[in-house]
Amino acid sequence: METLILNCDFSNVNDETTNEFRSERKRYKEQLSSLDYVGILSIVNAFQTKVCVSGFPGARSPGSEYADLILTTILQTIRWKVDENIFPSNKVEERLLALYIELLKSGPGSGHCELLQLITKHVEFQDLYGDSLQNVIGGFKEIFYVEGGNDSIYIDTVKRVYPDQLSTLVIRSDKEDRLRSPEVHRALMDLFVFYLVQLPHVPDTLQTVLIRAQDKIYQAYHMQPFFGIQDAGFYRSQLLRVVDFIKDPKFPQNRQICETTYRKLPNILQIKDGKMIAEVYADICQLLKEISLKRLTGENTDLLKKLDCFYKEIPIECFKNPQIFETWAATSQEILEKSPHEKITGNELAYTTDRFTDNLKPNANLGKIWLSVIGGFCGWVHEKLMRAAERTLSTNQWKSCWKWKENMSIAKAMIKALTNADYSSVENAEDYSSNAESFLEKLLDQLILVKVFKDVEVEVAELTMVTMEAFGKGVAVDRLCRTASEKMSLMNNKHLIKGYLERFLCLLKNEDFDWDGGWITTAGVDFFNNLIKSSGGDEVRDLEMDEAFIQVFLFCLSEDREYISLQRQHLNIFGLVAVAGLPQYTNLHTGKTTIGRLKPLFPHIQRLMDDDDEMIKTVMRTVTRILGEEVTQLMDTQGMENLINLYIKERDLATLDAISSAYEGHSEALASHFLPLLKASTQKTQTNEIVMQTMFLKKVAEKQPELFTKEALELIFKHHFMEKNANPQVLMVLDVVSKSHAENLEPFVESHLMKTDLMMELMAHYQFNILIRIAAKCNDKQSLVYSYLMKRLHESNIEQVLIASIQGLREMHSVFGTDIFTQKDKMYIEKIKEKGASKTVTDLVENLLNELEGRSIAKVSKDVEEHSGQIEKLEIGVAGTKVVLKKVHRDVKEQGEEIEGVKQGLGEVNTRVDEVEMDVADTKERVEEVDKKTMSNAPIWSRDVTKLLNPESEHDWRLLASRLGYSPDDIRGWATQSDPCMALLSEWYATHRTFEASRGVLTILQEMNRLDAAIIVENAMKAAEGVVTDEPVDYPEPPEIFLSYQWGHQNEVKLICRHLEMAGYKCWMDIGQMGGGDKLFEKIDSGIRAAKIVISCVTEKYAKSPNCNREVNLSVNLGKPMIPLLMEKMAWPPAGSMGPIFSEYLFIRFFQRPGEETNDDRIWPAAKFTELLMQMNCLKIMPDEENIATMYKNWWMPVVEEIVIPKRNEKKGENKAASSGQENVNRESQVVSPDVFISYQWGKQKEIIALFQRLTSLGFTCWLDIRQMGGGDSLYDKIDRGVRGCKVMLSSVTTKYALSANCRREVSLADALKKPIIPLLMEKIDWPPTGPMSMVLTQLLYVNFSKDESIQLSWEGKYFDELLSKIKQHVPTAKIEEIQTNSSKQEKNTKDENSVTNGNDQKQRKQETEKPSYPEQEQPRVNESSTKNSANTVQNEDQQSQVDKKKSSTCSIL
């Protein structure tokens, strides 16, 4: 049979050959049955050689049928021998599998497929693994087109057999465990991907075969073929194959390939294991990028939709992975830059953005990456991308990562991207515009908040203009344009305004621009108004810029312009530009030399003052009022006449105001229109209108009194004069008229001018002047006016009327002479003098009587003039004749007699002068007394105190000023004044309530040991106690909480205030309570006094703020509980004058650390706000339950807060950071701090000064307040620096020291800073001393200087040596050597004293060894409870008892 096969040409076989084999088949079977395994194997090899060739006949051909018969015969024989155990099954199976593989590699053709079916029909292969599996799959991969005959038979056969053979031999879907085994799973997935990437490399006729085979694998794995793959390397290799497949420039080669990729790509990306995704994510992103970069068209774009299969199935933990985010961000940026702007791609990017935003933990590095991605979003005109960008940008937990000052280039790029976007490509312009508007608003609000908006001014302006122009082309981006125009400003780029005005004018001139659509009108008006606003602020305005503004206004104000939009039923863009912009633009020119530039506009303004639209008419009249008197420069006489005619027609006050303003420059236009204007004004009945009219009439009267004819005056008297509130102004007008045309007023004397009930008493002077001038012109009115004046003098008791009447009578006398006065009237006038009227009235009466008697100064002057003339005549007479000389002698004699009378009068005058001098002296004394009361805010006792404190000394006024909290600059300023202490006290009492101010001064004087001045203050306060009894005053309920903060953190404190109010608490915050000017300190003072608790929002700027220091000092002095909130990371207690105060308090950390972010706008960890509420609750501050918001209904429910205790090395890092902060503080002070800080109470000052001198003589550098403090130095600031810089503190303990607030702060600050403290017992008291210091001092060993107080002046002996040894433990080695050298030169201590000192040192070291170590805390903790220890008197204690007490105290604390 082997020969038969080898000699057979299957291509030339016919039916006869086949039939012949059938007839001889039995013989061949018998022959085969006699062969051994080697023989059969040889036949199989021969068969393989002949059939596994190219050109083998196809199915249904004679050659194919002949091969089927031969193979069937061979397989039946082999099967019989295997069943009979003649042949080993495994070897047979192996050989037939090799035949099977060779058949596959031969095409397979349709004839091969028939043979493949025969093999699997007769041979039951075992499950394939290892090399067998790989070889078979390799065979399946060898598929290629081999036949050129009947193509349909070939395709039908291969399409049917090839996938079935794959399923039968390789897949075997009935064995699920095998399919999911890693080896088989990988092999099939490799084949699955092969079928996809091989599609472009096979003819179209075979593509269906590969797709069906791939479907067999897909179905076997229940539509999730890659689910469960754990080998990241294998999966990565498959992804790279797909990437190369898609990167082909020809992809997709046809629709079938695209559809297959569309269906199978989700199967490849369908992995759900987070760890696996993290390992291969970079390769996945590469695949997604290649797909996104393809320029797909038509139906092929559907492929992009399948990208969401990966994003929506990815586990949520993957979105928390920073490495995955960085990979995605880099890929996204490349996609955004290079790929077509497909909507589907944008949707997937937006979806992923939301997931990363919600799950990724923020940090600064990721924030910068985010900004780059968001910037890419801005370049795509895609509504969902803009929504995602806005959401990420405004998410609270990410806001702290943006750091706009560092990333301004990115912010600019975002706005430029919005500007350069292709708006014509957007499908839903309205949705995009809305989302882009929201994004831009959030972005610009953040830039404005951090004060960097000025850096993007140009970009925002350009965006506004571009979007406005895009709207004109039909793109609905009006919302985006509106937000940009609302925020726009060019304050720092004024040179660009002209260009934007020209572009804006082009849009206005475009008749096809739809200004009535959407929000574009609002955007246009805001844009123009912001250009106007940006143009202001400079002394010199650009002429070309103003000309551009004028061109816009002229276009909008032209006569043929319509101002109403029929669609909106409101003003259109032209009307709004005029109404909104013109007043603002006019304001920029008023009062400046550029006012003349408005001249082209004024004719239009004047025309529109009579417009039909009420708003336009009102605004134009307002503009004329804004111009004021400068309107004269803008209009001519015709313009004035137009205004007058308009007022006659409309009777509008704004028009009258414009007329009044322009009157000075165009008064000639009023002459012919005065009466009609006056008649028009009579139709106004409101008091304010009449008052305004009379003010204008006064101007006219002063310049054109001739216009006030009798007819005009009749109108005035009938209308204006009768209005009581306007009557005073009318009298002023008539007063001016009466000076030149009094005769025109004559008809109205009795009917109006003498109607007392119409006029105010204060205007009597004007009334009487008018009447007298009328009487002077009209003789028949003399007696009438005189009688009226006397009548008013008789009837009125009002001083102003009396004064005016008397002055009027004097005027009547000067005009009409004495004859008009009757004797009766003279007697009455004299009685007025005797009635005891005021001095002013009395003097006026006396002057009147003197004038009536001819004793007036005017009379004397007149006589002197007459005498001078007579003397001249006499001189001429002397030169003439002797007769005349005799007459002169006679006249001289007569004159001599008259001179005697003058001398007598002169004597009277001298007497009066003496009286005046006495009055002046008395007045000076009173003025000085008034000065004392008014020139200074300080009390009267201040002068006595200043006499004591002004002389220079250690405890003079400068130390008082420092203790009161004033700065060095304040003190230097007062030092330049003649009485510096008085200036200090005046300032102190001007800003503080008198009683508390006095108490504060008294307390500080006592602390300064200036008892001489303190006694003066104390006596004055005691004397004032009984002056008046206190009365209860009802105040409105004040807020219980005072928020103290520095204005740089105002927004954060507003947020705290809002949440406290949501929790039911009322808060005092200066922005809601303040008035203006000098009410500042008063409001703060009352707020702190009324509050039950003070919350201090502490920052570095807060600690340095003088005002904040005053608030803290006042709170401490008033004993107000304080809760410090630490608003930023900083050292505690803060450096500066607040350090000694805050060292006694626990702060609440109110800033967030990584991982503590909230999902809203809160800047603090949620648990810390609950801690604040609990502290307030402990202080009995109860909320108003009606006002508690839902968020804080159950705030007392405990919040689990994860507390991380850092390791030692981390703490050291923090300590290092803190120490570096301290180094910065020390560097700022630029002062080398002394080694020893001496803390004492001023009652022991003499002894402490001696200690200071002793220590300094031994080489120590010591800090003592009176030695360190200069005039005006800040007390707390110096103390803070001294404590921070010292090596050791000496605490001079006395009873007063233990109770002193300042001493307590010094000790607390030293304890908080871990400074060594050495107590010096200066008095015989119990140890530890009672009071707040007990907890600090109870653990310390004191040096007992109380047994022999004489030592406190000499500072020698064993106790002083003990003190020196303690100091040396904390002073640097170099210092000790220097001190030892100095000490040896001065004295040597006895051996006994040295032994005592050494013994004490050993006890001290032993105690320190036994002292338990405590972990470092986040902040200094002050134990608020008192340690109760039975105290024995110090007098009977020795050093060993102190050690015992210290141990006992330590146990008690533990």
Side-chain angles (χ1 to χ4, degrees), residues 304-456:
L304 296 171
K305 295 180 181 178
K306 288 303 178 180
L307 298 181
D308 65 351
C309 65
F310 172 71
Y311 293 119
K312 293 184 179 177
E313 297 295 331
I314 189 171
I316 199 68
E317 62 264 20
C318 293
F319 292 107
K320 300 178 181 179
N321 189 321
Q323 287 76 28
I324 289 180
F325 168 72
E326 292 179 15
T327 303
W328 171 83
T331 305
S332 299
Q333 290 181 66
E334 192 170 353
I335 291 173
L336 292 167
E337 291 174 8
K338 300 178 180 179
S339 71
H341 292 193
E342 295 291 345
K343 184 175 182 179
I344 302 170
T345 304
N347 291 343
E348 302 308 328
L349 290 174
Y351 176 86
T352 317
T353 298
D354 289 340
R355 295 298 165 273
F356 277 121
T357 299
D358 293 337
N359 296 283
L360 196 62
K361 187 176 181 180
N363 67 56
N365 291 332
L366 297 182
K368 192 160 188 177
I369 297 173
W370 256 132
L371 291 180
S372 299
V373 174
I374 295 173
F377 289 176
C378 295
W380 277 41
V381 185
H382 191 287
E383 58 272 17
K384 288 188 177 180
L385 279 180
M386 290 312 303
R387 178 203 54 75
E390 179 272 331
R391 186 170 180 269
T392 302
L393 192 70
S394 59
T395 300
N396 281 328
Q397 63 188 23
W398 282 102
K399 284 182 180 178
S400 61
C401 301
W402 301 147
K403 300 187 181 304
W404 288 116
K405 291 184 179 179
E406 300 175 10
N407 298 314
M408 276 310 300
S409 59
I410 300 178
K412 287 184 178 182
M414 290 179 182
I415 302 172
K416 286 181 179 178
L418 289 174
T419 304
N420 299 328
D422 181 11
Y423 295 111
S424 61
S425 64
V426 65
E427 293 182 10
N428 192 335
E430 291 187 4
D431 287 349
Y432 169 76
S433 181
S434 177
N435 292 338
E437 172 196 28
S438 183
F439 167 78
L440 182 66
E441 183 177 13
K442 299 294 191 304
L443 172 63
L444 297 184
D445 285 344
Q446 292 182 21
L447 297 180
I448 292 170
L449 185 64
V450 297
K451 306 294 188 298
V452 293
F453 177 78
K454 63 181 183 297
D455 296 329
V456 295

Side-chain angles (χ1 to χ4, degrees), residues 1019-1197:
N1019 291 338
M1021 292 178 65
K1022 288 181 179 179
E1025 287 179 355
V1027 173
V1028 65
T1029 57
D1030 295 332
E1031 296 181 0
V1033 181
D1034 294 330
Y1035 293 100
E1037 183 179 356
E1040 295 179 328
I1041 300 170
F1042 183 95
L1043 294 177
S1044 175
Y1045 69 100
Q1046 196 271 338
W1047 273 47
H1049 291 263
Q1050 188 180 92
N1051 290 332
E1052 292 90 330
V1053 180
K1054 282 183 181 178
L1055 188 61
I1056 295 172
C1057 180
R1058 176 159 61 84
H1059 278 265
L1060 285 172
E1061 290 173 350
M1062 290 167 63
Y1065 296 96
K1066 294 181 180 179
C1067 301
W1068 194 103
M1069 191 173 173
D1070 54 6
I1071 59 171
Q1073 308 287 338
M1074 285 301 168
D1078 57 358
K1079 297 293 183 182
L1080 172 66
F1081 292 114
E1082 181 180 346
K1083 288 285 187 179
I1084 292 176
D1085 179 83
S1086 60
I1088 294 177
R1089 291 178 186 279
K1092 294 183 179 179
I1093 188 173
V1094 176
I1095 296 179
S1096 297
C1097 301
V1098 184
T1099 63
E1100 290 186 357
K1101 291 184 178 179
Y1102 180 89
K1104 297 176 181 178
S1105 168
N1107 285 340
C1108 299
N1109 272 272
R1110 293 188 183 103
E1111 292 173 6
V1112 171
N1113 289 334
L1114 179 59
S1115 303
V1116 172
N1117 291 335
L1118 295 175
K1120 298 292 182 180
M1122 284 200 297
I1123 301 178
L1125 305 183
L1126 199 62
M1127 305 297 291
E1128 61 187 19
K1129 188 173 182 181
M1130 58 181 289
W1132 188 265
S1137 57
M1138 290 189 189
I1141 297 175
F1142 278 134
S1143 62
E1144 303 178 18
Y1145 292 90
L1146 300 177
F1147 65 77
I1148 301 177
R1149 178 173 57 81
F1150 241 56
F1151 60 88
Q1152 293 177 346
R1153 289 175 173 164
E1156 296 178 337
E1157 297 82 0
T1158 58
N1159 293 325
D1160 51 19
D1161 57 354
R1162 287 178 290 177
I1163 59 171
W1164 55 82
K1168 296 302 180 182
F1169 193 80
T1170 304
E1171 182 180 345
L1172 172 61
L1173 297 179
M1174 292 177 67
Q1175 285 206 25
M1176 292 194 295
N1177 191 45
C1178 293
L1179 294 169
K1180 309 300 183 186
I1181 310 298
M1182 296 294 108
D1184 183 355
E1185 297 193 7
E1186 294 181 357
N1187 295 327
I1188 299 179
T1190 306
M1191 181 178 182
Y1192 294 109
K1193 281 292 184 184
N1194 299 315
W1195 64 263
W1196 54 84
M1197 298 298 290

Side-chain angles (χ1 to χ4, degrees), residues 897-911:
E897 293 175 358
E898 292 180 2
I899 288 173
E900 289 296 328
V902 171
K903 287 182 179 180
Q904 184 178 354
L906 184 60
E908 295 177 0
V909 171
N910 289 335
T911 302

